Amino acid sequence: MMRTFANISLAPTSSVSRCIALSCIIFLSVPNYAECFTRSSTTPVLKGSISTKATPTKTVLWQQSKQQATGATKNISEAGDDDANSQSKAASRKQPTLAELEDLEEERLAAEEKEAAEEAALNKAPKYAAPSSLYTDVYNGDLASKDGRTGGGDLDDPMNISPQKEMDLAQKRDELQNNRLNEMFAQEDADNAERQAKIKQIMEEDDKQWMEERKKRLMGKYAGVESWEEVEKMLGEDKKKEVKEMTMKVNLAKEAGVTLTMLEPADTDGTDNDNKETKPQLFPTVGIGKKGSWFDDADNGIDLKSEFQSLPLKQASEDGAVSDEGIGEDKSNLMTEDGPRFVNGKLTSREQLMGISVGSAGGWSLEVFPGDFVVHRKYGIGRYEKTVLKPKKKLTAEEKEAAETRRKEIINDQMKEGKQLEEIQLVVEAFGTEKDIDPISNPKQTLLEISYSDAVVHVPIDRAYRLSRYRAGDAAIKPRLSRVKGEAWSKAKQKVEVSTVQMAQDVLALYATRETLNRPPFNPGKEGDVKHFSKSFQFEPTPDQTKCFEDVENDMVWRSRPMDRLICGDVGFGKTEVAMRALFRAVANGRQAALLAPTGVLAAQHYKNVVKRMGEDTDHKFNIALLRGGMGKNTKKGRELRAAISSGEVDIVVGTHALLSRGMSFHDLGLLTVDEEQRFGVNQKERLKLICNCVDVLTLSATPIPRTLQMSLSGIRDTSTIRSPPPMRKPIISYVQEFEEGLIKDAIERELARDGQCYYVVPRISQLEEANLLLKRIFPELRVIQAHGRQRRGVAEENVAAFAEGNYDVLLATTVIENGVDIPRVNTIILQNAQAFGMSTLYQLRGRVGRSDLQAYAYFFHKNDFISEQSAQRLQAMADLHELGSGFDVANRDLEIRGAGSLLGTEQSGMAARVGFDLYMRMLKKSMRQLRGLDLPVVPRSNVLLPGGEGSIEWEQGANGDTTSSSSGSYLIPESYIEDVEERSKEESLARLAESTQRLVEITSAWKDTHGSIPAELQDNLKALHLHTCLRQLGIDVVGLDESTGDCILRSPGLRPRHWAMICSQLPKRAPPKGLDVIFPARFSFSEDDTEITGGKKIDLQELLTNQKYSDDDEEWDALDEEEVEAMKEISSAANIKSLSEIEVHSYPRFVVKKIGKNGSRVDALLKVLLPPSKVVFQKQQSDKEKAKVAAELREKRELIAKTKKENEKLSSRRMGYQY
């Protein structure tokens, strides 16, 4: 409420406004300041407001009329031209006449005389007359009390008042004034206080009601429960319902040809899981700087866990009465894993936390949890929410017919039961809706619910291959959800597609360059010695190890270009054995080999193993040397060892970075094995490129760096993976905890109690002393020994050896023990300041334990004050990926966190972040496929299984294991034709690995020119070489004879309908060769039956190229990309096949030559039908490589021209600036 004082609006509740009101009252009340007001005998009275009245005189009226006239004239002048006439007329009517002006002037003069007389009379009155306003009581009452009078207010002589008395009067006047003001505002303040109290009460009641509603909403179905019995009952009902729905989802997915597995949620409530040692105990959480909403703050004040704790547990007493008793802390055990969980203080159902793992027989797979970001090829980046059951919208003809039949049965049953017509009508109306629960009448399907910024999309489970997890260069930055409506996503994909095309051109240009590099392949006749050496391996190789052995053999023996293969395997999974056999193969062929390790400890470990397996004390008698730090070229030992390596006296050299020094030279280096490639920097790798020119390179790594991993995923680098663990291995239990001395004490005590040893690792040498003091304070009798990189030469290795002998309890070290330390007795490792380690280092250090059949433990202690977003994600990965063989997954997670960086000198991480790394790699493969056209997988080695060894070039092993004898179709050149051993071996390798039949003809022509006509025996063998060249070009890995039909079966795992259509389009008659039929299994043509294309008959090429059922390059289905990977696995293992009965040849694409004929003519029959298509494939692939190479060179030149132009413009602008 507002009050008015002298026409001034004041807010009574404001202290400033009260001061203003007081000033106004003083201004109007003090006589000295009232001269501007007309005096009157009327006395103003203060009643809620102050006002002054004056009787208007003629003079005042005259002045007012004059002002009005002047104002009217001003208004006329300010008016527009449109109203000028009307306003001038009004002004003329108001203008006074001359007589009226004279009367007004007389009145004014009379008024002035009257005022002068009144003023004279006033001057004669007493000067201090009592004022007639607010202070009358003050003056009269006080002066009367002074003179002894009780009434009246007039003073005879006010001039006799002393100054002190005048001050006292003024003070009393102020007090009276304040009292009256307080009385005036007191009631209003009371009203305001009462009103504010009511408002506060209403808001508190409203807040309480809102919090109760919010609590009920958060508690969901558990709101309103009164006891734990009700909770348990509801939990049981929910569990039954969830199990039923999950079973239905899994069964429906299985019917759709998809494998669906429900993944249990991780422990997100932060409770201790000491009784669940297979799960990580704690996950570090770091905020990402996003401000929480007001609702989040409000929800934090709702403690749902306490609400459940406060629920009573109804128990029956002896007399049957029911009593409510709380069960305290034991009540937390009633909330089992099958029920809801508290996630960040919120009640979340188990189903909302469960993830899924989806896969198919084709090989594609997807594993996501609720809240994970995914990428849909059509709709863009979304967020996975959950799986749901919905009725099918598109039914097949069989499903429609079954649904109609079932609905008729339901109606007939209703009629037999005597139901009313209205009830039957309701049943009919429910058909096809959510109310229809019959699985035949209303078939349902499992859907994945994906949220977008403007919509929710349900993806059928059988089309989950369209989804992929979103991974980009910086996982800490959450992506923005795409919009389903609009063209933003399609435009983003178009930009990325342009980038992938350029990248594909660079990759194909690199392929073309690599094909020009040649080196003499290793002799397959020495493989018998390699197999004899493999018997010294004391363990049974795992299936993945065997696959790696075959891959390395194919690269070194059956290819002319240098090997560049990455072996990715978990710590302790047998990568070193793959390197051992490769080293032996190189030395057995008369070449030199080198093994490069990042640390001296690892190099010493490798040196001991190599000497033990093939040193001078063995049957092989190889000369092995160790080159490490301290053996520089200026030292005597270093000079002698370098000289021995350069002269060829040393067969295998094991060393550290010293092998990369500039003064290092090799005699005839044939193989370089690099262990733990991720530990070497850019300068070392540039040096490796110079050393490894035309040299086979084998790289070993448990967690390759993101760039290396991406190169392997894109096909630039050949990769083999070891995922199968050795027998009796157990997963390492990982604990991620904040640093606490009590936990360290418990971990060491538990290990020492079972007579074990521990590693204690710190990231910096400067932290060793602090850690040592900590251990001595906790365990005064503990035996501790240190190992780090600044100790004297050899001291670290000696300390590790002393620790391995059991002389010490704890090895306190830095990352120097990351590689090369294998002590089975050590099964506990503690990492202090784990946030300072990289992903690869964390994984390698964890792999130092668990080398026996005992359970191993790894403790990652971090400090929350120093943890960052990426370090938290690294520790999270250690907690998540704790299963055996997860090294490749750790590398993928590192790729997700850090990004791939620069590939082939082209920055593309930004493009990958737009669509996610997985979709980017798929688009890159698609661009490469389009550029190559005929992207048949390369077959390094074909296995011909015709009777009598016809057409085979494989060696036959004798009874004693030697390989001196050969089959009838061997490629060997008779000694009488080429006498020189080295030249004969070289020519045999050239003929064996000829890339095309045309190249083989050129080689034989050179033989004729140099050595004369070719012998008849060699001519027959050359037919087998021509056959194998055709087989490799067409992707055929196995050739065999079907004895039941007499047909020759040629398996080609990578052949697709579009490939055959493109080949036939380039043949003379645009038809398949007569006698060569092609059969594609049903899954490759998306039909119920196999597709057979008969040779010699014209086919509809356009149908094969454009029909979606034959196209595996369509957006809707690319699971065959994974099948091509599986096909390559089959191709590499084809050499071990002994007969067609060992494989299911009918499940693969294959060529069929019917009634091939008798022995001696089968090779000629095969060459007749295979030569034309193989020539087309070779010419097309060469043309595609050249086009890509030219396109890459042109783009590079354009970029160089644009860069030069930009630099010239910048230089010109600078010069222009200098002129002024």
Side-chain angles (χ1 to χ4, degrees), residues 26-170:
I26 295 173
F27 173 78
L28 298 176
S29 303
V30 178
N32 295 337
Y33 296 105
E35 296 178 357
C36 59
F37 294 93
T38 304
R39 304 184 184 278
S40 173
S41 59
T42 306
T43 302
V45 181
L46 179 61
K47 289 185 179 180
S49 64
I50 299 176
S51 61
T52 57
K53 296 183 180 181
T55 303
T57 60
K58 293 183 178 181
T59 304
V60 175
L61 292 176
W62 179 83
Q63 292 177 352
Q64 291 178 355
S65 64
K66 185 177 181 181
Q67 291 176 0
Q68 292 176 359
T70 306
T73 306
K74 183 177 181 180
N75 291 334
I76 293 173
S77 63
E78 293 178 354
D81 296 336
D82 297 337
D83 298 334
N85 296 330
S86 60
Q87 291 181 358
S88 60
K89 292 179 180 179
S92 61
R93 287 195 299 268
K94 293 180 181 181
Q95 187 173 3
T97 60
L98 182 59
E100 291 176 347
L101 290 176
E102 290 179 352
D103 294 339
L104 290 174
E105 181 64 19
E106 292 179 357
E107 292 179 0
R108 184 182 67 80
L109 294 175
E112 288 180 356
E113 293 178 357
K114 186 177 180 180
E115 288 177 1
E118 291 178 354
E119 185 176 357
L122 184 61
N123 290 333
K124 294 180 180 180
K127 189 171 184 180
Y128 287 95
S132 59
S133 61
L134 178 65
Y135 307 106
T136 303
D137 296 337
V138 177
Y139 275 82
N140 293 343
D142 189 78
L143 294 178
S145 63
K146 178 183 177 182
D147 297 336
R149 293 175 292 183
T150 59
D154 297 332
L155 297 176
D156 297 335
D157 190 8
M159 295 298 295
N160 295 328
I161 300 176
S162 65
Q164 181 63 36
K165 186 60 179 178
E166 187 174 359
M167 292 177 62
D168 294 339
L169 291 175

Side-chain angles (χ1 to χ4, degrees), residues 138-260:
V138 177
Y139 275 82
N140 293 343
D142 189 78
L143 294 178
S145 63
K146 178 183 177 182
D147 297 336
R149 293 175 292 183
T150 59
D154 297 332
L155 297 176
D156 297 335
D157 190 8
M159 295 298 295
N160 295 328
I161 300 176
S162 65
Q164 181 63 36
K165 186 60 179 178
E166 187 174 359
M167 292 177 62
D168 294 339
L169 291 175
Q171 184 177 359
K172 289 185 177 183
R173 178 194 61 200
D174 294 339
E175 291 177 359
L176 179 61
Q177 173 186 344
N178 292 334
N179 292 333
R180 293 187 177 182
L181 288 175
N182 291 334
E183 291 176 1
M184 179 177 60
F185 293 121
Q187 184 62 34
E188 188 172 353
D189 290 342
D191 295 340
N192 288 335
E194 183 179 359
R195 183 168 57 255
Q196 293 295 332
K198 290 182 179 180
I199 293 174
K200 184 178 180 181
Q201 181 181 1
I202 294 173
M203 291 183 66
E204 289 178 353
E205 293 176 355
D206 187 68
D207 289 344
K208 184 177 180 181
Q209 183 180 0
W210 184 89
M211 292 292 284
E212 289 294 332
E213 294 177 357
R214 186 71 177 174
K215 185 190 303 180
K216 291 180 180 179
R217 190 179 297 109
L218 294 176
M219 294 182 68
K221 64 179 70 177
Y222 299 97
V225 294
E226 298 180 355
S227 65
W228 269 100
E229 280 75 7
E230 297 183 28
V231 175
E232 290 178 347
K233 182 179 179 180
M234 296 177 68
L235 289 176
E237 295 175 354
D238 292 344
K239 183 178 180 180
K240 292 179 181 179
K241 183 179 178 181
E242 288 179 359
V243 171
K244 183 178 179 180
E245 289 185 356
M246 291 178 188
T247 304
M248 184 179 297
K249 291 176 182 178
V250 172
N251 293 335
L252 291 175
K254 187 176 181 180
E255 293 177 1
V258 177
T259 302
L260 172 63

Side-chain angles (χ1 to χ4, degrees), residues 124 200 230 304 323 346 401 404 496 536 548 554 563 579 784 854 877 938 970 989 1011 1047 1106 1109:
K124 294 180 180 180
K200 184 178 180 181
E230 297 183 28
L304 297 181
S323 63
K346 297 181 181 180
E401 183 178 357
E404 292 294 332
V496 175
S536 63
C548 291
N554 290 335
M563 175 180 67
V784 181
L854 295 178
V938 179
S970 175
S989 299
H1011 306 285
D1047 299 339
T1106 59
K1109 81 171 187 175

Side-chain angles (χ1 to χ4, degrees), residues 75 172 213 380 444 626 673 758 770 906 1058 1113 1197:
N75 291 334
K172 289 185 177 183
E213 294 177 357
K444 294 184 178 181
L626 175 63
T673 302
C758 302
E770 178 186 354
T906 304
R1058 59 184 176 83
D1113 195 40
K1197 290 180 180 179

Side-chain angles (χ1 to χ4, degrees), residues 341-354:
R341 300 188 182 186
F342 295 99
V343 180
N344 296 327
K346 297 181 181 180
L347 190 64
T348 307
S349 66
R350 177 169 171 262
E351 186 180 5
Q352 292 175 331
L353 298 174
M354 294 188 70

Side-chain angles (χ1 to χ4, degrees), residues 999-1040:
R999 174 58 181 160
L1000 190 56
V1001 170
E1002 294 175 357
I1003 293 173
T1004 54
S1005 299
W1007 291 353
K1008 293 178 182 179
D1009 297 339
T1010 306
H1011 306 285
S1013 59
I1014 299 177
E1017 178 185 359
L1018 183 56
Q1019 288 182 354
D1020 293 337
N1021 292 341
L1022 287 176
K1023 291 182 181 179
L1025 294 179
H1026 279 279
L1027 175 61
H1028 279 263
T1029 302
C1030 296
L1031 296 177
R1032 289 196 299 268
Q1033 289 293 335
L1034 293 174
I1036 300 172
D1037 62 341
V1038 178
V1039 179

Side-chain angles (χ1 to χ4, degrees), residues 526-542:
K526 298 292 184 180
E527 290 307 301
D529 298 335
V530 177
K531 291 183 179 179
H532 178 68
F533 168 76
S534 64
K535 295 179 180 179
S536 63
F537 185 52
Q538 57 183 346
F539 302 102
E540 184 69 23
T542 61

